[in-house]
Amino acid sequence: MAWHLAQAFEKTNHHSVLEVYSRSLSNAKKLTAKLYNAMATNKLDFSQSKAEVLFICVPDDAIEQVAAELKLPSGCLVVHTSGTKPLAILDIIKGVKIGVFYPLQTFTKAKAVNFEKVPICLEANEKALEKVMEKLAFTICENVAFVNSNDRKVLHLAAVFACNFANHLFTMAKNILKQEDLDFKILQPLIEETVQKAFANGPEKSQSGPAARNDIKTIEAHLKMLHSSSLMQSIYQNMTDSIQDSHYLGKK
Amino acid sequence: MAWHLAQAFEKTNHHSVLEVYSRSLSNAKKLTAKLYNAMATNKLDFSQSKAEVLFICVPDDAIEQVAAELKLPSGCLVVHTSGTKPLAILDIIKGVKIGVFYPLQTFTKAKAVNFEKVPICLEANEKALEKVMEKLAFTICENVAFVNSNDRKVLHLAAVFACNFANHLFTMAKNILKQEDLDFKILQPLIEETVQKAFANGPEKSQSGPAARNDIKTIEAHLKMLHSSSLMQSIYQNMTDSIQDSHYLGKK
């Protein structure tokens, strides 16, 4: 997250990143090497810093501890970037303004992110601060939403289904194809069309396949083909039941 | 299928569709109204037809019955368009050439299909016929593969996971968001990036989320949030287990 966010800010707000913290100084330096004028550090003491905003980009469970150890100039703004943790987790830091700055995207170091299209979900506990954060977010993206702590949790859960789990279905499909030396790429147009349709017509309206048309013979044949993995059979059966529940519900 | 296929052929091979059959004449006429010179019929007697190729585009379980009733000029080519049925299901038709012409795409009447990008999976039982079918397929698309009956079944199973089930995950995500009046569209950049990454790096390499990083607290919180649906809990748990199985397997 820090890797992509720092570079996005540096790109649109030149020389805007002043310091990069990591527990490991050499990791911090890998990022500062990509930036114009930022200093790497492994100390959480920013009391002398001229920075106006501090981003906490650490694993969810480390946020509280980092927040407790931070030393900051009074009046600066501290935000975390987590989809699951509430704003209030930062209440522990006294004398500063707090917020949440959650880019709804999947990050891996190896792949550059085009932030323009990433929705950034913001939360602040005062109106004046919302304006400041909105302005900040708009410097790197075009799509900003205010989402409170509860809704952000719901959004994160939805993203787990729509992205993490969908990606795992792609892995399962790839593994099924590999057994017969078939190339996963053959599914690309179909998957892309599925996504396009889901947003054009609504996914509930474009559901197709054996479950949706209650094609019992094909369902049984598929379960038989999956005999070597009871977990895959169970996923197939659950997804089929769930499609049928919502499909017939939609038609009632 | 007939709806899209007939229009695709008509577009690139002008006036190439001669007859359209449906049990209901008025349904057949809806399609011929879109074509230049085709005749609608509700009889399966094509013995006087000048057509060189006949496409059977009916539900999988109706193929055998339609094939049994068909009357055809000898020597013509009959193909079915099913992902799950073997070529041999057409053996019942005597005195004709048989094949499979399976476009790997999801079709709904309301949405036009750009066939150029659709992979068409072909099967024939003689080499000379393969050439003919390949030429025919290339008139409407750029992506042709020969896939035998067994592999086509495997491909169809993979497509159920990667498309039908993935689409249902999108529906579940949409329903989760709806409870808090959040718009499904907010997930679009994330889903599109997930698909792009899956094909750029492989889905097994881009798996992220609480299951992949074994974030037990978040997994437990999510299961609690799903308390009103034991089926969704079960899908969440199974997908999490399966991600963890393959994730740790990949790292061993």
Side-chain angles (χ1 to χ4, degrees):
Chain A
M1 177 75 85
W3 182 260
H4 294 289
L5 212 48
Q7 292 183 74
F9 276 116
E10 185 90 349
K11 199 173 153 194
T12 53
N13 309 268
H14 297 293
H15 318 159
S16 58
V17 182
L18 303 185
E19 287 115 350
V20 171
Y21 163 86
S22 168
R23 273 184 304 183
S24 131
L25 193 62
S26 73
N27 272 346
K29 280 183 176 165
K30 277 180 202 152
L31 176 49
T32 55
K34 296 268 179 185
L35 307 171
Y36 181 78
N37 207 12
M39 221 179 60
T41 175
N42 58 358
K43 307 264 185 302
L44 283 169
D45 184 353
F46 295 97
S47 50
Q48 304 305 314
S49 173
K50 293 207 165 84
E52 295 168 69
V53 189
L54 183 130
F55 288 84
I56 303 180
C57 311
V58 297
D60 287 358
D61 286 336
I63 296 174
E64 264 186 289
Q65 202 198 324
V66 165
E69 292 180 27
L70 268 175
K71 284 184 187 144
L72 292 168
S74 72
C76 90
L77 167 61
V78 185
V79 299
H80 75 62
T81 54
S82 160
T84 55
K85 293 294 173 180
L87 171 60
I89 198 176
L90 300 181
D91 280 343
I92 192 174
I93 323 177
K94 301 299 172 194
V96 298
K97 291 169 279 190
I98 59 171
V100 178
F101 191 102
Y102 170 51
L104 187 59
Q105 191 50 281
T106 162
F107 298 99
T108 42
K109 247 190 185 170
K111 191 168 180 301
V113 173
N114 177 6
F115 261 96
E116 272 170 51
K117 300 290 166 209
V118 175
I120 297 189
C121 302
L122 301 178
E123 184 178 8
N125 50 10
E126 20 166 318
K127 276 282 162 203
L129 196 53
E130 282 188 354
K131 286 278 167 217
V132 172
M133 290 180 63
E134 194 173 25
K135 217 172 139 184
L136 184 70
F138 271 129
T139 65
I140 58 167
C141 83
E142 294 167 354
N143 193 350
V144 172
F146 283 94
V147 176
N148 68 34
S149 291
N150 179 57
D151 285 1
R152 194 171 54 253
K153 250 164 122 175
V154 170
L155 189 55
H156 184 250
L157 176 62
V160 167
F161 276 87
C163 299
N164 300 152
F165 290 172
N167 183 71
H168 185 58
L169 289 175
F170 302 156
T171 303
M172 288 193 275
K174 188 176 174 179
N175 291 340
I176 290 169
L177 293 175
K178 212 192 297 176
Q179 288 169 18
E180 301 293 326
D181 276 327
L182 292 163
D183 188 349
F184 177 54
K185 278 224 185 295
I186 200 171
L187 290 178
Q188 188 165 1
L190 186 52
I191 291 175
E192 286 175 352
E193 176 78 4
T194 301
V195 171
Q196 228 185 60
K197 265 192 192 170
F199 286 100
N201 308 336
E204 73 286 4
K205 290 193 189 98
S206 42
Q207 186 64 55
S208 63
R213 60 174 185 271
N214 198 25
D215 177 349
I216 291 165
K217 276 189 198 165
T218 301
I219 293 168
E220 278 172 2
H222 283 170
L223 287 169
K224 213 179 252 179
M225 286 166 82
L226 296 169
H227 66 89
S228 64
S229 164
S230 59
L231 188 50
M232 280 181 90
Q233 280 182 327
S234 176
I235 287 169
Y236 190 101
Q237 189 65 61
N238 278 336
M239 294 296 293
T240 296
D241 291 346
S242 179
I243 289 169
Q244 298 200 325
D245 280 3
S246 52
H247 209 65
Y248 293 120
L249 210 70
K251 289 197 169 167
K252 263 175 200 163
Chain B
M1 177 75 87
W3 182 260
H4 294 287
L5 212 49
Q7 292 183 72
F9 276 116
E10 186 88 351
K11 198 172 152 194
T12 53
N13 308 267
H14 298 293
H15 318 158
S16 58
V17 182
L18 303 185
E19 286 115 350
V20 172
Y21 163 86
S22 167
R23 273 185 304 182
S24 132
L25 193 61
S26 73
N27 272 346
K29 280 183 177 166
K30 277 180 203 154
L31 177 50
T32 55
K34 296 267 180 186
L35 307 171
Y36 182 79
N37 207 12
M39 221 180 59
T41 176
N42 58 359
K43 309 265 184 304
L44 284 168
D45 183 352
F46 295 97
S47 50
Q48 304 304 316
S49 173
K50 294 207 166 84
E52 296 169 69
V53 188
L54 183 129
F55 288 83
I56 303 181
C57 310
V58 297
D60 286 359
D61 285 337
I63 296 174
E64 263 186 289
Q65 203 198 323
V66 166
E69 292 180 26
L70 268 176
K71 283 183 185 146
L72 292 167
S74 73
C76 90
L77 166 62
V78 185
V79 299
H80 75 62
T81 53
S82 159
T84 55
K85 294 291 173 181
L87 171 60
I89 197 176
L90 299 181
D91 280 344
I92 192 173
I93 322 177
K94 301 299 172 194
V96 299
K97 291 169 278 192
I98 58 171
V100 178
F101 191 101
Y102 170 51
L104 187 58
Q105 190 49 280
T106 162
F107 297 100
T108 42
K109 246 189 184 170
K111 191 168 179 302
V113 173
N114 177 6
F115 262 97
E116 272 170 51
K117 300 292 166 206
V118 175
I120 297 188
C121 303
L122 301 177
E123 184 178 8
N125 51 12
E126 20 166 319
K127 276 282 161 204
L129 196 53
E130 282 188 354
K131 286 276 167 218
V132 173
M133 290 181 63
E134 192 173 24
K135 218 172 139 185
L136 184 69
F138 271 130
T139 65
I140 58 167
C141 83
E142 292 166 354
N143 191 351
V144 172
F146 282 94
V147 176
N148 67 33
S149 291
N150 179 58
D151 285 1
R152 195 170 54 253
K153 251 164 122 175
V154 170
L155 190 53
H156 183 251
L157 176 62
V160 167
F161 276 87
C163 298
N164 301 152
F165 291 172
N167 183 72
H168 186 58
L169 289 175
F170 302 156
T171 302
M172 288 194 274
K174 188 176 173 178
N175 292 339
I176 291 169
L177 293 175
K178 212 193 295 177
Q179 288 169 19
E180 302 293 325
D181 276 328
L182 292 164
D183 188 351
F184 177 53
K185 278 224 185 298
I186 201 171
L187 290 178
Q188 188 164 1
L190 185 53
I191 291 175
E192 285 174 354
E193 176 78 3
T194 301
V195 171
Q196 228 185 60
K197 264 191 192 171
F199 287 99
N201 308 336
E204 72 286 4
K205 289 193 191 100
S206 42
Q207 186 64 52
S208 62
R213 60 174 185 271
N214 199 25
D215 175 350
I216 291 164
K217 276 189 198 165
T218 300
I219 293 168
E220 279 172 2
H222 283 169
L223 286 169
K224 215 180 251 178
M225 286 165 82
L226 297 169
H227 65 90
S228 64
S229 165
S230 60
L231 187 51
M232 280 181 90
Q233 280 182 328
S234 175
I235 288 169
Y236 189 100
Q237 188 64 62
N238 278 336
M239 293 297 293
T240 296
D241 290 347
S242 180
I243 289 169
Q244 297 200 327
D245 279 3
S246 52
H247 209 65
Y248 293 119
L249 210 71
K251 290 197 170 167
K252 263 174 201 164

